[in-house]
Amino acid sequence: MSSHQHQKLARVLYRSLLRVSRKGNHPEVFGKYGKQAKEYPLPHTASEVRAILRGGFRMGKTSRAIDVANIGTADRQSKHDAIKEAFEILRHSNEMSSILLPQKDDLPSALPIFEYTDAGVLMEEEIQFNFFEPRYRFLAQEALSRDGTFILGQKHSSSLLKIVEHMFLPNGNIAVRCIGGPRIKVLRREKVNVGEDNVLAQATKFDIESDDFDEESQQNLFAMRLRCLELMKCVYPKTNITSMGLPPIDPERFSFWALRFTLSQSDPASRQRWLACLSTNMRLQHVIEFFESFQEVLNSDPKDES
């Protein structure tokens, strides 16, 4: 492939990533590949996300780059590997976009509900299940026959999950790996008989749930988002922060991303409580207070305790 063809392909990939990230407004769709932006400041605006993308693909006269896909490398094999990686980034971003930014009209008209109280899954988080009950094996098969989505239903909150990997086990169980999407408000549920003495709940009417706030409060939320990141950078190396991908620009989505640094996997009750909370302000304030307390401990003089 000629240098001109490489440049043309790089432009196509750049535009595709720009489109899937909604013009840079949702860098969270890059998922695990966001950590490759380590040489750039953490983005606070869509334009800063676009700058990362432009730099990564060395477009036009842009030479200061993080080499997201190393498109500009001279070695032929390296170029081939870089292009292969770039397509993997695009594939992964498209999959993450379908999970994190689903359009209601693109979802099935009815979604099966897995009623399970021992987990709380935030957006972008992974979770694994081993479905052994007949009704939930049916749930997994139903989900896999469509787009892989189902609802994780709990007492005060529900979340959209998508199966991204599965395995049919010799004993008939179905092992799945899922990624968490947005919160779901179930407006109507029905019971479906899926075999002898097996009943499965499904949502036949639902909405994608989000917090309510006006333009003035949104400006305050952006300031709180910035404060969260400043505190996190005082506690963690940048590589630790981006290990969970680039932070979302949207304050509500960011609040759930940041909560992942404060909550234990073994504390589903706290996770479910924050999922049920409809205040971005409260979630961000919790994160700020958590890291302020953490910073106080780090800055405390051991002599003061003696």
Side-chain angles (χ1 to χ4, degrees):
M1 186 181 292
S2 68
S3 177
H4 173 73
Q5 289 173 316
H6 275 286
Q7 291 176 5
K8 187 175 181 180
L9 181 57
R11 292 190 186 95
V12 171
L13 288 168
Y14 165 77
R15 289 167 184 160
S16 298
L17 286 170
L18 192 63
R19 183 169 56 252
V20 77
S21 66
R22 309 300 199 271
K23 297 183 179 180
N25 283 287
H26 291 285
E28 62 269 27
V29 302
F30 302 137
K32 60 184 179 181
Y33 291 103
K35 64 185 178 183
Q36 296 191 23
K38 58 188 177 183
E39 293 183 16
Y40 276 79
L42 293 173
H44 299 298
T45 65
S47 62
E48 291 175 355
V49 175
R50 294 195 294 270
I52 291 175
L53 283 176
R54 284 195 302 271
F57 283 100
R58 295 184 180 270
M59 296 199 58
K61 296 182 178 179
T62 305
S63 58
R64 51 184 296 274
I66 55 170
D67 287 332
V68 168
N70 296 310
I71 295 296
T73 184
D75 179 72
R76 179 176 295 180
Q77 182 59 44
S78 296
K79 282 185 177 181
H80 174 79
D81 293 342
I83 291 172
K84 183 178 178 181
E85 182 186 16
F87 274 110
E88 172 55 27
I89 294 173
L90 179 57
R91 185 206 63 77
H92 180 77
S93 300
N94 274 312
E95 181 173 64
M96 292 299 292
S97 177
S98 72
I99 298 169
L100 304 178
L101 306 170
Q103 299 298 308
K104 185 180 175 182
D105 292 342
D106 294 335
L107 293 172
S109 58
L111 286 170
I113 301 174
F114 177 37
E115 297 176 291
Y116 185 67
T117 59
D118 290 337
V121 185
L122 306 181
M123 283 189 285
E124 298 185 64
E125 283 192 318
E126 290 192 9
I127 190 167
Q128 297 183 17
F129 296 114
N130 181 11
F131 291 127
F132 58 89
E133 288 188 49
R135 58 177 173 164
Y136 292 133
R137 292 204 301 263
F138 178 86
L139 175 150
Q141 290 173 331
E142 275 291 291
L144 290 168
S145 70
R146 297 181 291 192
D147 64 348
T149 55
F150 65 95
I151 292 174
L152 178 63
Q154 289 150 348
K155 188 174 181 180
H156 300 295
S157 66
S158 297
S159 301
L160 186 71
L161 298 188
K162 184 170 183 177
I163 299 172
V164 294
E165 190 176 354
H166 69 280
M167 180 180 296
F168 294 99
L169 303 178
N171 61 2
N173 294 356
I174 304 176
V176 300
R177 180 172 68 88
C178 308
I179 296 180
R183 294 170 294 172
I184 294 291
K185 185 175 184 179
V186 177
L187 303 174
R188 183 173 64 231
R189 66 172 62 203
E190 298 177 357
K191 292 183 178 180
V192 180
N193 291 318
V194 295
E196 187 176 351
D197 298 324
N198 285 298
V199 177
L200 177 69
Q202 66 174 7
T204 54
K205 187 177 181 180
F206 55 87
D207 275 331
I208 296 174
E209 194 164 45
S210 60
D211 298 341
D212 293 323
F213 41 78
D214 55 32
E215 186 175 344
E216 182 178 350
S217 62
Q218 183 152 347
Q219 293 303 314
N220 180 54
L221 295 176
F222 275 110
M224 295 177 75
R225 175 191 180 278
L226 181 61
R227 176 61 177 158
C228 285
L229 283 175
E230 289 174 345
L231 288 167
M232 292 170 74
K233 287 188 288 186
C234 293
V235 174
Y236 293 120
K238 186 181 173 185
T239 51
N240 286 31
I241 298 174
T242 57
S243 66
M244 293 191 184
L246 290 174
I249 305 296
D250 176 79
E252 178 180 341
R253 292 174 177 273
F254 173 85
S255 69
F256 286 111
W257 178 87
L259 275 176
R260 295 163 64 191
F261 290 87
T262 73
L263 298 177
S264 168
Q265 291 285 356
S266 59
D267 186 9
S270 292
R271 290 167 164 271
Q272 292 171 24
R273 184 176 72 250
W274 286 116
L275 282 166
C277 172
L278 296 177
S279 171
T280 300
N281 186 299
M282 288 181 64
R283 289 190 298 273
L284 291 176
Q285 190 60 45
H286 167 77
V287 174
I288 289 172
E289 291 173 358
F290 175 89
F291 281 106
E292 284 179 341
S293 299
F294 202 100
Q295 193 175 27
E296 285 179 12
V297 173
L298 291 178
N299 295 336
S300 62
D301 190 339
K303 295 179 181 179
D304 295 339
E305 300 178 4
S306 59

